[in-house]
Amino acid sequence: MKQSFDRLGGKALERLDIISPPLRSALPRRSGKFAEKEAGDGRIVDQAMSIPPRDLYVLLRDNASNDQVLGKLWAEVNTVPTWVDWGQIARGQEVFYRYGGPILTGLAYQSLLGGMGAGRVAETLTRTGGFSTKVARHRLFETFQHLLQCTRSLQSIQPGGAGHASSIRVRLLHAAVRQRIMKLAQQRPAYYDVEKWGVPINDLDCIGTIGTFSAILVWMSLPRQGIWMREQEIVDYIALFRYVGYLTGTPTDAFETPTKARVMMESLLMNEINPTETSRLLAQNIIKCLVAQPPGFASKSFLEVNSRWLNGNELCDRLGLGRPSLYYWALMAGQCFFFMAVCYIYRAIPYLDRRKIAALRNIFWQVAIENRHGLGHESIFDFKYIPDFHTITESGDESQAGIKHPGIERRNLKALVIGCGCLGVVVFLVWKVVAGFARSVVSNLKI
């Protein structure tokens, strides 16, 4: 599967490039570390905002009736597979917000950062320049936007909705990255080893990506934070991302059932996780770009302990992450206690569960999309991290000083103290009961 890929998406992109050619001036202005710069308020802005980017989804929609290839892709993405149950998809969307906090933690530190341990995939990512410290945080928010649009409402993921459209944009973006790297590799074979690493963004890579959004969270990230989904929630959540995979051109057989999804996850972990120097660089850049940044304002040590808690010390050592002190491990335990308390209590009370899901849908959107510390606007997933012979992600500095703020670590410390206090009370009460029972037994024996 390393040599197979979404051919229909690639052919459609070629047709769109003929209908609306990308500006030649877009290449240097959108490539590598010079593609974007940081605004005064911390946002990432394009240096050539005067040139509007192409919206490939709109081009596809408007030209589908006039071109056979485009019409075929448009018909495919707007044909709902027979296995799609909209009620199940809606329940899967609710699962994302029911476990919102631990899911985002798993996505950031295990799916993404831990996923950099897949050396083959890292070779594609480093050639886009999208994971330099100056732009990586912006890149993370774009991925988050796609997930939010896919889960914001049932209408959003249905044909014509924002999540449906963004999935198609991501599919065409993947085709553009693949096309560009393959073209460069044809000119200079040493630039990218297709035989060794596979076609960029191949079918196996795409299956792995959908797995990191679903299976990894269900069977690894959440349990390691003390949270287990119910069986029906697992079925619904996997079904949701099977449909997202369908829209993005990913083979979906591996997600036909939760069992198949788990088998594929375990197979990929066994065979694909092999960190390289490139993996180390990208993983460390992710940590650096998030230090002391809103909304969490987390320290480097706390970011690293999140990674170690979820991925284990062996992988994190190979990725070159630091070893935090016991204090930060205690904070992480406090975070897990907080997540467990919130998730299990709200899940047990339907009224609170509905309120929490509705609230997080708005909060996540405001923080990631509307807030000036997030994207500040909706991305159309245009091709701005463009591979080039001179575009290789470099190790960045922790120069983006964040705002000094107590942030997430103070909350976790409070949760730890409360958790220890509750545990102490329980232990005391149990001891009192056991001691009273023992005294009663001894008294009866004397009589």
Side-chain angles (χ1 to χ4, degrees), residues 75-208:
E76 178 184 291
V77 296
N78 283 282
T79 299
V80 180
T82 56
W83 43 262
V84 170
D85 177 345
W86 291 123
Q88 184 177 61
I89 298 298
R91 294 194 302 271
Q93 292 175 319
E94 291 179 349
V95 170
F96 181 84
Y97 296 96
R98 179 170 297 126
Y99 306 102
I103 279 182
L104 294 189
T105 300
L107 286 170
Y109 301 107
Q110 186 161 34
S111 299
L112 178 64
L113 195 149
M116 293 303 170
R120 286 192 316 98
V121 176
E123 294 301 330
T124 297
L125 295 176
T126 191
R127 282 160 175 76
T128 68
F131 281 91
S132 68
T133 53
K134 292 181 182 288
V135 299
R137 186 170 175 272
H138 185 82
R139 173 73 179 78
L140 302 184
F141 274 119
E142 287 183 322
T143 300
F144 191 28
Q145 176 191 310
H146 179 219
L147 292 173
L148 293 182
Q149 288 177 321
C150 288
T151 57
R152 192 158 171 78
S153 68
L154 181 59
Q155 292 72 28
S156 181
I157 195 63
Q158 291 176 325
H164 185 269
S166 69
S167 295
I168 298 169
R169 290 187 177 104
V170 168
R171 181 174 183 171
L172 294 170
L173 174 61
H174 287 172
V177 173
R178 184 187 308 114
Q179 179 193 77
R180 177 68 178 169
I181 292 179
M182 291 295 287
K183 182 181 294 186
L184 295 175
Q186 290 174 358
Q187 297 174 19
R188 297 184 189 177
Y191 170 74
Y192 181 88
D193 191 336
V194 178
E195 184 65 27
K196 180 179 180 181
W197 298 321
V199 174
I201 315 181
N202 54 60
D203 285 342
L204 189 63
D205 296 339
C206 292
I207 289 173

